[in-house]
């Protein structure tokens, strides 16, 4: 990659995406920044008119994704870094949310990121370099009541990225999943979608979590996170996963060992279902996944 990189970042009107866009511009790189509403990216263009192109698009619109990527190539001739940042939260018990809310959440956070990635891959493969940075969440490795579909999108996109990383490493393309804890952005406030509260869930954990969320002040600083994310693209050894924030770190330290403990606790049952050829099969997977 040349020293000056070309970035494509989705969802730059507010929050982490906005901070990252400003960081990239301050670094002297070129930027294609997507926003949903015309005019929302004007301040970004004003920062560096010859290095910034703002594209209006919604990541749930596949045709808009295709023309956004084409516009990026027309403007700067290449894309070095794609950041799939656009996304929002949906809070409510599964019974409280509608099919339409579920589909919109999946199409934005999951399908939108997958289609964006698919669209930039051919040219990154040809140029034999590129970095796909996926904004996931600590909620891509743990799950709490009330955010089931949000977790489905973040766990889903993490599986997608991990699989993709193995497919594209041969072409010099890196993949990094960023897992922030709470960040001071619009995510938990203005941007959050909610289900209609069902009285039946009063007094259950989801009601407690709803209350806790209203009082919680997130600890993550979007500007500091943006600087760390931008720094990833300067590393040859960029990690597959990067967790950001002391809250996220503490939670994962507590939860990840429990998954291994559960694996071990059920080991007898787990190993009881093999055919006689199982040893050879798991040796093969061990080699592939090491
Ligand atoms: P935010 O609401 O301030 O910003 C979200 C951005 O995504 C906005 O610019 C919005 O316009 C855009 N967006 C939403 N739906 C879109 C769509 N359909 N098409 C195009 N753009 C769309 O919130 P944020 O905290 O900056 O969120 C950024 C990312 O960080 C999200 O993926 C979110 O899930 C993730 N995240 C946030 C937190 C947090 O606590 N804020 C924690 C972990 C992960």
């Amino acid at each position: 990659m040349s020293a000056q990189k070309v970035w494509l970042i989705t969802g730059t009107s507010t929050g982490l995406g906005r901070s990252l866009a400003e960081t990239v511009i301050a670094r002297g790189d070129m930027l294609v920044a997507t926003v949903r509403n015309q005019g929302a990216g004007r301040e970004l263009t004003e920062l560096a008119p010859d290095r910034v192109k703002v594209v209006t698009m919604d990541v749930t619109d596949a045709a808009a994704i295709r023309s956004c990527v084409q516009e990026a190539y027309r403007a700067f001739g290449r894309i070095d870094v794609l950041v799939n940042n656009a996304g929002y939260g949906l809070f409510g018990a599964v019974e409280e949310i509608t099919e339409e809310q579920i589909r919109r959440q999946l199409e934005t956070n999951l399908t939108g990121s997958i289609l964006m990635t698919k669209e930039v891959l051919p040219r990154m493969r040809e140029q034999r370099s590129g970095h796909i940075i996926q904004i996931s969440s600590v909620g891509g490795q743990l799950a709490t009541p009330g955010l089931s579909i949000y977790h489905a999108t973040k766990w889903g996109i993490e599986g997608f990225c991990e699989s993709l990383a193995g497919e594209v490493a041969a072409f010099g393309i890196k993949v990094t999943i960023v897992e922030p804890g709470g960040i001071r952005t619009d995510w938990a406030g203005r941007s959050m979608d909610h289900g209609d509260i069902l009285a039946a869930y009063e007094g259950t954990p989801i009601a407690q979590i709803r209350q806790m969320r209203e009082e919680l002040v997130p600890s993550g600083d979007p500007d500091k996170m943006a600087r760390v994310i931008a720094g990833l693209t300067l590393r040859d050894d960029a990690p597959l996963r990067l967790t950001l924030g002391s809250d996220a770190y503490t939670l994962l330290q507590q939860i990840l060992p429990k998954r291994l403990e559960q694996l071990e606790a059920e080991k007898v049952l787990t190993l009881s279902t093999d055919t006689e050829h199982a040893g050879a099969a798991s040796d093969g997977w061990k080699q592939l996944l090491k």
Side-chain angles (χ1 to χ4, degrees):
M1 276 190 225
S2 67
Q4 204 181 22
K5 294 187 199 306
V6 180
W7 294 66
L8 196 172
I9 306 174
T10 63
T12 60
S13 59
T14 55
L16 183 61
R18 172 55 64 104
S19 292
L20 190 56
E22 288 170 358
T23 304
V24 162
I25 296 168
R27 204 167 86 170
D29 285 349
M30 267 91 76
L31 169 67
V32 178
T34 85
V35 295
R36 272 182 301 176
N37 301 317
Q38 214 137 26
R42 197 173 301 124
E43 303 94 334
L44 291 177
T45 321
E46 282 165 4
L47 288 174
D50 53 332
R51 289 190 286 115
V52 178
K53 176 158 191 61
V54 174
V55 176
T56 306
M57 71 106 156
D58 192 304
V59 296
T60 61
D61 180 343
I65 287 177
R66 279 194 294 278
S67 57
C68 166
V69 171
Q70 280 163 13
E71 270 191 68
Y73 283 117
R74 263 199 304 277
F76 298 119
R78 56 190 288 132
I79 296 171
D80 297 308
V81 187
L82 166 68
V83 184
N84 285 314
N85 165 76
Y88 70 96
L90 168 60
F91 191 90
V94 175
E95 286 192 80
E96 292 172 339
I97 52 187
T98 65
E99 179 183 339
E100 195 276 329
Q101 286 177 306
I102 293 168
R103 290 192 187 281
R104 196 165 75 87
Q105 174 81 141
L106 291 167
E107 278 176 23
T108 305
N109 295 7
L110 184 58
T111 316
S113 290
I114 292 172
L115 293 182
M116 253 344 275
T117 302
K118 184 170 161 54
E119 205 54 36
V120 303
L121 281 179
R123 295 277 291 265
M124 281 191 177
R125 176 169 49 72
E126 278 163 25
Q127 75 197 23
R128 298 194 84 79
S129 68
H131 199 155
I132 292 159
I133 298 181
Q134 177 65 48
I135 307 302
S136 175
S137 164
V138 65
Q141 290 210 66
L142 58 81
T144 56
L147 284 168
S148 57
I149 313 302
Y150 181 73
H151 289 305
T153 67
K154 296 299 189 182
W155 284 62
I157 204 63
E158 294 217 5
F160 168 79
C161 287
E162 196 166 324
S163 172
L164 174 74
E167 292 177 11
V168 299
F171 307 115
I173 303 171
K174 293 179 205 148
V175 179
T176 300
I177 303 163
V178 177
E179 299 170 325
I183 324 172
R184 284 189 200 180
T185 65
D186 288 344
W187 183 86
R190 202 172 60 109
S191 305
M192 179 79 78
D193 190 11
H194 295 269
D196 286 337
I197 297 175
L198 270 178
Y201 285 85
E202 266 172 35
T204 71
I206 191 174
Q208 212 183 332
I209 290 173
R210 186 179 275 119
Q211 178 69 33
M212 203 180 80
R213 286 199 156 272
E214 275 168 20
E215 290 156 11
L216 195 81
V217 181
S219 51
D221 178 331
D223 294 333
K224 285 186 180 170
M225 288 188 180
R227 286 197 289 276
V228 170
I229 294 168
L232 283 173
T233 63
L234 304 174
R235 284 173 59 173
D236 287 333
D237 64 342
L240 174 63
R241 280 191 174 75
L242 176 67
T243 302
L244 294 179
S246 58
D247 54 351
Y249 179 83
T250 307
L251 284 166
L252 288 184
Q253 272 235 323
Q254 192 181 318
I255 271 154
L256 292 181
K258 286 195 182 148
R259 293 183 69 185
L260 263 184
E261 274 166 31
Q262 195 166 62
L263 181 72
E264 289 309 320
E266 301 301 331
K267 185 174 176 184
V268 173
L269 274 186
T270 301
L271 300 187
S272 70
T273 55
D274 287 355
T275 67
E276 66 273 24
H277 304 299
S282 50
D283 286 350
W285 281 113
K286 252 197 232 164
Q287 279 300 322
L288 270 173
L289 295 177
K290 71 175 184 228

